[in-house]
Amino acid sequence: MRVCVATTVHHPEDARITHRQIRALLDAGHEVTFVAPFTHCNVTPSPGIRAVDVPRAVGLHRSRALRASSSALRRATRDADLLLVHDIELLLTLPRRRPPTVWDVHEDTIAALDAKSYLPGPLRGVLPPLIRAIESRAERRLHLILAEEAYRARFPGPHPVVPNHTYVPPTPPPPPGDSRVVYVGHISAARGAAEMIEVARRLRPYGIRLDLIGPADAAVRPMLRDAQREGVLDWFGYVPNRHALRMAEGALAGLSLLHDLPNYRQSTPTKIVEYMARGIPVVTTPLPNAASLVGRVDCGTIVPFGEPGATSGTVADPVAGAAPDSGSDAVADAVVRAVLRLRDDRERRAEMGARGYVEALNHYHWPAVAGDFVALLERWAEAPGPVSALSPGRTVPA
């Protein structure tokens, strides 16, 4: 099977696209053409794929990327058996003549608008009905796969869920240390950038440093650079996921301080599962799925949300036993107390890390679902037809 995979929004080293889905296709013996912004992201294409370079769609500057992707997709799909796209914008540029096409729904696009600080106010009112119209058209004409169970509510028809699992090391990683806290992933205001900088400042007198591993939105880069110049944290910028997770191993705790926004409420943050897979205790805000997972497995600590005025979902701090006031100071206080408690209790942090690792290995290991993902695409490529006849409407089994 010849598969064309396309994105202009995501990094060419995106973990879900490249290191899970494309790797699974290559491991199964299929050919892959990858349309992605290699030059913009300074990425050398991986061996084994046919790379097609396009500009990256960033913020409000997307027209050039869409024009280039339209031409690139026409060329790249001429001999393809299947087209797999990862951006809602690409649904506007699909070739008229194309193979069976799959849209991988990564997020709740409308809910995600709240976290896009670059959008001017008028656009926030115009975009939701446009997005709903694009999604409705896509559901009628394309095959859909969903990254989360919660996304089923957005579409009337049944669609399979391909979960955003990770690679779990076959042997237990090193136990958590006592001098370093980590964050792995994209950094933005909505993902707790200000709170993490404040945490780093408060941990510095205790000899505990914060490692931030990931790219950052333009709006928060100046404060990150200032904090790094002050010596309160280390910001490594973008690091490929497989290397970033190895860097994170041995950390005292992994942070996930996402704000209480609609797009985050219905998802399980992938970084939490990645921390668990590397034996790192989790410190997370009380998003429903995150709090449920961490609480059930007992592999970390739940702290309050950090936005000023945010009270929804706030829980009592498990270290101090009281619910602090909302705001960045409150969440920083709670995180610091949680981290210091872990530092002072070697046995507890080791047990948390071990429980998280076992849970990830048993229930969140990507290779356990990779074969089902490939088989799904093979079926759609070989017998194109109405989506309702082909979509099993279930989660690909773990």
Side-chain angles (χ1 to χ4, degrees):
M1 179 172 67
R2 296 181 295 271
V3 182
C4 177
V5 180
T7 181
T8 61
V9 172
H10 299 281
H11 195 284
E13 289 276 355
D14 180 87
R16 177 175 175 87
I17 299 172
T18 301
H19 298 295
R20 295 171 194 145
Q21 295 185 1
I22 290 181
R23 177 174 167 181
L25 289 165
L26 293 174
D27 288 348
H30 298 301
E31 300 176 19
V32 174
T33 297
F34 190 17
V35 178
F38 295 99
T39 298
H40 182 279
C41 298
N42 194 28
V43 169
T44 301
S46 302
I49 68 167
R50 187 176 81 181
V52 178
D53 190 31
V54 292
R56 192 176 192 185
V58 179
L60 295 175
H61 307 289
R62 297 176 181 245
S63 58
R64 179 168 170 261
L66 291 178
R67 287 194 301 271
S69 66
S70 178
S71 175
L73 287 176
R74 283 197 302 272
R75 298 191 307 271
T77 57
R78 285 173 186 163
D79 62 348
D81 300 305
L82 189 84
L83 171 60
L84 172 59
V85 298
H86 291 270
D87 317 333
I88 190 170
E89 293 91 336
L90 289 181
L91 303 183
L92 304 174
T93 67
L94 296 176
R96 183 167 297 179
R97 290 188 174 185
R98 62 180 187 270
T101 301
V102 182
W103 175 31
D104 185 358
V105 182
H106 285 224
E107 64 181 2
D108 183 333
T109 313
I110 295 176
L113 296 177
D114 288 341
K116 299 185 187 301
S117 58
Y118 58 82
L119 285 177
L123 269 182
R124 295 180 183 274
V126 171
L127 286 176
L130 175 61
I131 291 170
R132 281 191 287 268
I134 294 172
E135 290 181 341
S136 178
R137 179 183 173 90
E139 186 175 28
R140 294 193 305 270
R141 297 177 175 232
L142 311 177
H143 304 292
L144 272 59
I145 58 176
L146 314 178
E148 293 275 355
E149 283 282 351
Y151 298 165
R152 291 193 193 280
R154 292 171 49 199
F155 301 98
H159 302 287
V161 174
V162 176
N164 217 11
H165 290 176
T166 188
Y167 288 95
V168 184
T171 57
D178 61 3
S179 62
R180 183 171 60 100
V181 175
V182 299
Y183 171 90
V184 176
H186 193 90
I187 306 168
S188 67
R191 294 170 185 263
E195 292 84 353
M196 290 191 290
I197 292 171
E198 185 60 25
V199 166
R201 287 198 174 100
R202 299 186 186 199
L203 287 176
R204 187 182 183 190
Y206 297 97
I208 301 173
R209 81 175 191 271
L210 171 62
D211 287 349
L212 299 178
I213 309 171
D217 281 357
V220 301
R221 287 174 204 155
M223 69 173 71
L224 292 173
R225 286 193 290 263
D226 289 345
Q228 183 157 262
R229 280 194 290 266
E230 292 172 26
V232 300
L233 56 79
D234 292 313
W235 175 34
F236 293 91
Y238 176 79
V239 177
N241 184 257
R242 60 189 185 279
H243 301 310
L245 296 179
R246 282 200 292 268
M247 290 171 62
E249 286 187 357
L252 172 59
L255 303 184
S256 179
L257 306 184
L258 277 66
H259 290 188
D260 187 17
L261 296 176
N263 191 41
Y264 300 149
R265 289 184 201 131
Q266 57 186 334
S267 302
T268 300
T270 304
K271 62 176 55 60
I272 288 181
V273 175
E274 290 174 335
Y275 296 151
M276 292 166 58
R278 301 293 166 150
I280 303 169
V282 178
V283 176
T284 179
T285 46
L287 294 163
N289 290 352
S292 175
L293 174 60
V294 171
R296 175 176 59 80
V297 180
D298 190 14
C299 61
T301 303
I302 302 166
V303 298
F305 288 112
E307 312 97 314
T311 56
S312 174
T314 300
V315 298
D317 173 46
V319 177
D325 295 334
S326 60
S328 297
D329 285 345
V331 73
D333 284 344
V335 172
V336 169
R337 288 195 294 271
V339 168
L340 294 180
R341 180 179 176 183
L342 289 170
R343 182 203 61 176
D344 295 338
D345 194 335
R346 180 177 180 179
E347 183 178 355
R348 176 173 171 77
R349 69 176 185 262
E351 290 173 348
M352 281 185 168
R355 283 193 292 266
Y357 168 76
V358 170
E359 178 72 11
L361 183 64
N362 289 338
H363 300 290
Y364 296 94
H365 190 33
W366 167 252
V369 299
D372 296 281
F373 161 73
V374 172
L376 181 66
L377 297 193
E378 289 172 342
R379 185 164 76 252
W380 282 340
E382 293 171 0
V387 173
S388 60
L390 292 170
S391 297
R394 61 177 177 82
T395 302
V396 174

